[in-house]
Amino acid sequence: MVAIPWLPEDEIWFPPPEQALREPDGLLAAGGDLSPARLLQAYRQGIFPWFSDGEPILWWSPEPRCVIYPAQQHISRSLKRRLRKQDYQVRYDTAFAAVMSACAEPRGDGAGTWITAEMRAAYQRLHQLGHAHSVEIWRQGRLIGGLYGIAIGRIFFGESMFSAEPNGSKLAITHLCQRLHQQGYYLLDCQVYSDHLASLGAVCISRPVFLDALNRGAAPTIQDYWYRQQN
């Protein structure tokens, strides 16, 4: 069995993403903590945490990488009809904790959630610091869909989404992509491929292409685009 590095809690560093395992795909390191500084450093390097209760913190950087280029999002005919109804409201960052809670609810496949209490506390801290954001779809005062993620520079790193009504998460992604396109974002990182994401225009790109986008769009010197005025 191939060993992976164990990260200390008193130093913030990660091995190069190119050292990630092929099986399981993308496993790079374990240990460390979920401090804001470590999480932001991880995302800038194309790395994210993903683990279950009872496991150590596990860090991943899979290849290929699933992304959506905001200007190239695919909107199906049925989704266009849903968008035209306009019987819902889109809000940002008004119910971050509620969105995380909804994303952590058990899914129909019976699998447990990876959004542990530790993860929820860490990302809510990032939200308080202005790095983590929620996209919320409301109808008649009820939260019917949404997603949350991290905005760094000109990259949005999507983490999880949910639907309490049909198309709830699709509405959230669509409005997020519109905002990202208007504000000059390079891409929306979706991490791992799924048919649901592919139906919305997600594509898989190689690690070098993804890391190049991060170097251009998520370096510490790049200004935060999330709070730019929309035209």
Side-chain angles (χ1 to χ4, degrees):
M1 184 174 180
V2 179
I4 57 173
W6 184 270
L7 305 179
E9 292 190 13
D10 57 348
E11 297 179 28
I12 297 177
W13 61 271
F14 291 96
E18 293 84 356
Q19 294 182 13
L21 301 181
R22 291 184 178 272
E23 183 59 41
D25 178 34
L27 181 58
L28 179 67
D33 59 20
L34 296 177
S35 66
R38 190 185 299 273
L39 284 169
L40 293 175
Q41 180 64 28
Y43 283 102
R44 287 193 175 100
Q45 292 184 235
I47 301 163
F48 58 87
W50 183 35
F51 61 99
S52 300
D53 272 327
E55 293 181 341
I57 300 173
L58 301 176
W59 301 91
W60 304 77
S61 184
E63 186 180 25
R65 194 77 167 217
C66 183
V67 305
I68 296 177
Y69 292 100
Q72 299 175 20
Q73 189 212 356
H74 173 69
I75 303 177
S76 66
R77 290 181 181 177
S78 61
L79 182 55
K80 287 179 181 177
R81 289 195 298 269
R82 184 67 186 86
L83 289 164
R84 285 196 295 267
K85 284 187 176 181
Q86 297 183 344
D87 60 345
Y88 61 90
Q89 298 79 44
V90 184
R91 302 177 192 169
Y92 299 92
D93 294 333
T94 70
F96 185 87
V99 170
M100 279 206 78
S101 294
C103 290
E105 288 293 320
R107 306 298 171 98
D109 58 9
T113 180
W114 55 269
I115 305 176
T116 64
E118 185 180 9
M119 290 282 275
R120 289 166 71 169
Y123 284 81
Q124 288 179 30
R125 177 59 176 154
L126 281 180
H127 175 63
Q128 293 166 357
L129 294 172
H131 301 294
H133 305 282
S134 58
V135 184
E136 308 145 18
I137 306 299
W138 296 83
R139 191 171 71 83
Q140 298 178 349
R142 178 170 175 256
L143 188 60
I144 65 167
L147 61 85
Y148 74 94
I150 312 297
I152 302 177
R154 298 171 71 176
I155 310 290
F156 192 94
F157 301 87
E159 273 298 311
S160 188
M161 56 189 172
F162 81 97
S163 291
E165 291 186 5
N167 292 316
S169 63
K170 290 184 178 182
L171 290 173
I173 289 180
T174 298
H175 284 282
L176 173 61
C177 283
Q178 291 173 353
R179 174 173 178 152
L180 297 182
H181 179 54
Q182 291 170 357
Q183 296 189 206
Y185 274 72
Y186 287 165
L187 56 80
L188 164 59
D189 175 32
C190 302
Q191 299 178 349
V192 179
Y193 174 90
S194 72
D195 291 339
H196 177 65
L197 291 169
S199 72
L200 293 164
V203 296
C204 290
I205 60 176
S206 69
R207 181 180 286 123
V209 172
F210 180 67
L211 293 181
D212 179 67
L214 297 189
N215 290 334
R216 291 183 290 111
T221 56
I222 303 295
Q223 72 176 101
D224 185 352
Y225 272 49
W226 184 259
Y227 296 106
R228 283 169 51 116
Q229 291 286 335
Q230 298 188 61
N231 294 327

